[in-house]
Amino acid sequence: MQPSTEYTTDVLVIGSGAAGLSLALRLAGHCEVMVLSKGPLDEGSTLYAQGGIAAVFDETDSVDSHVEDTLIAGAGVCDREAVEFIAGNARHCVQWLIDQGVLFDTEASTPNGDRYHLTREGGHSHRRILHAADATGKAVETTLVSKAAAHPGIQILERCNAVDLITSNRIGLPGTRRVVGAYIWNRAEELVELCRARAVVLATGGASKVYQYTTNPDISSGDGIAMAWRAGCRIANLEFNQFHPTCLFHPQARNFLLTEALRGEGAYLRRPDGSRFMPDFDARAELAPRDIVARAIDHEMKRLGADCMYLDISHRPEAFIRQHFPTIYDKLLTLDIDLTRQPIPIVPAAHYTCGGVMVDKHGRTDLDGLYAIGEVSYTGLHGANRLASNSLLECLVYGWSAAEDILRRLPTIAQVRQLPPWDESQVSNSDEEVVLQHNWHELRLFMWDYVGIVRTTKRLERALHRIELLTREIDEYYSNFRISNNLLEVRNLVQVAELIVKSALLRKESRGLHFTLDYPAMQPDPQPTILQP
């Protein structure tokens, strides 16, 4: 069946979070840009980010200190050059965001203007987190959305999924293998459309929906990682999945995040009997990196047979809590929980994908013309564990560096004149959508049980066996039935789950976010785990 629409653009940006929109705004005015948004334009992980953006804005802090904190949190497998590149370019990229209109909290006036209120989070040796109360992501996303929506040089397609990348070798074009476009699933029209592009940018976020419990929105289904892998790109460090230590434990708000800034401002973690436990695990107590805190919570829950642990900031003044954490305070009140007066029930939940599509410092992947920026990518910044508030920073720095590289290279890239349309002549409408729902739930449950905070080789092998069975079912389904949103997401999630498990099986040690009972010690001279298609 012929697609109803064929789009042509210079740069196709797949994803509409901080990475995708910052890049699109930097490109707009210089070339044609199309932004593909899987849901509404402002839906995505950026919107829900509470904490802030790490950057050196205080005279007592330094870029070197930011680098060292990142390297320590990354547990020996960060790429120092990438860390120095990102930390060194942090300030001007955050300043660009401020120039777009993002209002970060200030605390005092100086001869040079207002001074930003900087908070501290786990793993940071200084206060260096710029924030907009406890809803930084919302401030960033809404500002970028308003700018992008009003820009005449940016075309936006909402509620559209990228199905797969189109590469030159697969359509018989000679020369260097490169990306030439993508197939797009238009959910409103329920048909596959086509987009020709001289460059494609993956800014699709992570894959935390592969787990049963996650802080991420439903769209975080690993789409960009799976598409890049199918297109022949290398993937790295997918065994390092960050579990945020403090997700609200409540039946009516299963994915509500309680920002690390709460602990940065003095919140304690307590057992059900009210006693603190983090000092028993690490000298940094509640300000230890996330991998340590998440494992400590998991350990105490299992040891005590408890459903949850508790986060308590009620010892701080009520006015301070309400001023700094208004979003969390208001949300909890709707659940009859008073942040200023009582401890909050919490559990760890899958939060951030530290590995991803391998890129250089310009966001270039192994496939010519294809870029990956933000959580979908592996830059070397996060290593075995992401330092708090480095994620939005990475989005902004690579939004800048990739845009600069695209503008340099674009004049040398020719537009392909014609691409093959999507062929649906051999498929039919499915009357078994329930099968996909069963596959989805099965995958997320066994990934949580077998590939979670604490792992074993036996559990990983069991997970891989289940994934192989699911893959055969889904491949058969994909070959016989028309596209649906559930089909695309389950297909991508199963692919990413396989990559996660294979990465985990290759790492014969415990390091950062990857902890296995079979190999509890760290090995000397650690290296990134790289998978080649």
Side-chain angles (χ1 to χ4, degrees), residues 167 176-179 202 228-229 231-236 356-360 363-372 409 530-533:
T167 58
T176 302
R177 189 174 63 95
R178 64 187 181 99
V179 67
L202 298 174
W229 175 261
C233 296
R234 289 173 298 162
I235 304 296
V357 184
M358 290 190 72
V359 298
D360 65 10
R364 295 194 295 240
T365 71
D366 295 329
L367 182 61
D368 201 33
L370 180 67
Y371 296 75
R409 293 163 59 90
I530 299 173
L531 299 181
Q532 179 81 45

Side-chain angles (χ1 to χ4, degrees), residues 8-116:
T8 301
T9 188
D10 291 323
V11 183
L12 173 63
V13 181
I14 305 174
S16 59
L21 290 183
S22 63
L23 175 135
L25 286 166
R26 288 180 180 276
L27 292 177
H30 303 283
C31 60
E32 295 177 345
V33 182
M34 175 177 285
V35 174
L36 205 65
S37 181
K38 189 174 176 182
L41 184 60
D42 62 355
E43 177 67 7
S45 292
T46 297
L47 184 70
Y48 299 100
Q50 295 174 353
I53 305 174
V56 175
F57 271 74
D58 186 87
E59 59 274 10
T60 66
D61 196 4
S62 69
V63 170
D64 287 344
S65 178
H66 188 182
V67 168
E68 289 307 311
D69 289 346
T70 301
L71 294 174
I72 291 168
V77 288
C78 293
D79 182 321
R80 176 180 278 274
E81 186 177 336
V83 175
E84 291 174 346
F85 173 74
I86 293 163
N89 285 289
R91 182 154 185 161
H92 78 84
C93 289
V94 173
Q95 185 60 53
W96 176 86
L97 196 61
I98 293 167
D99 294 342
Q100 302 307 304
V102 176
L103 299 175
F104 293 109
D105 286 6
T106 56
E107 62 177 357
S109 295
T110 68
N112 296 322
D114 289 341
R115 184 172 66 199
Y116 291 108

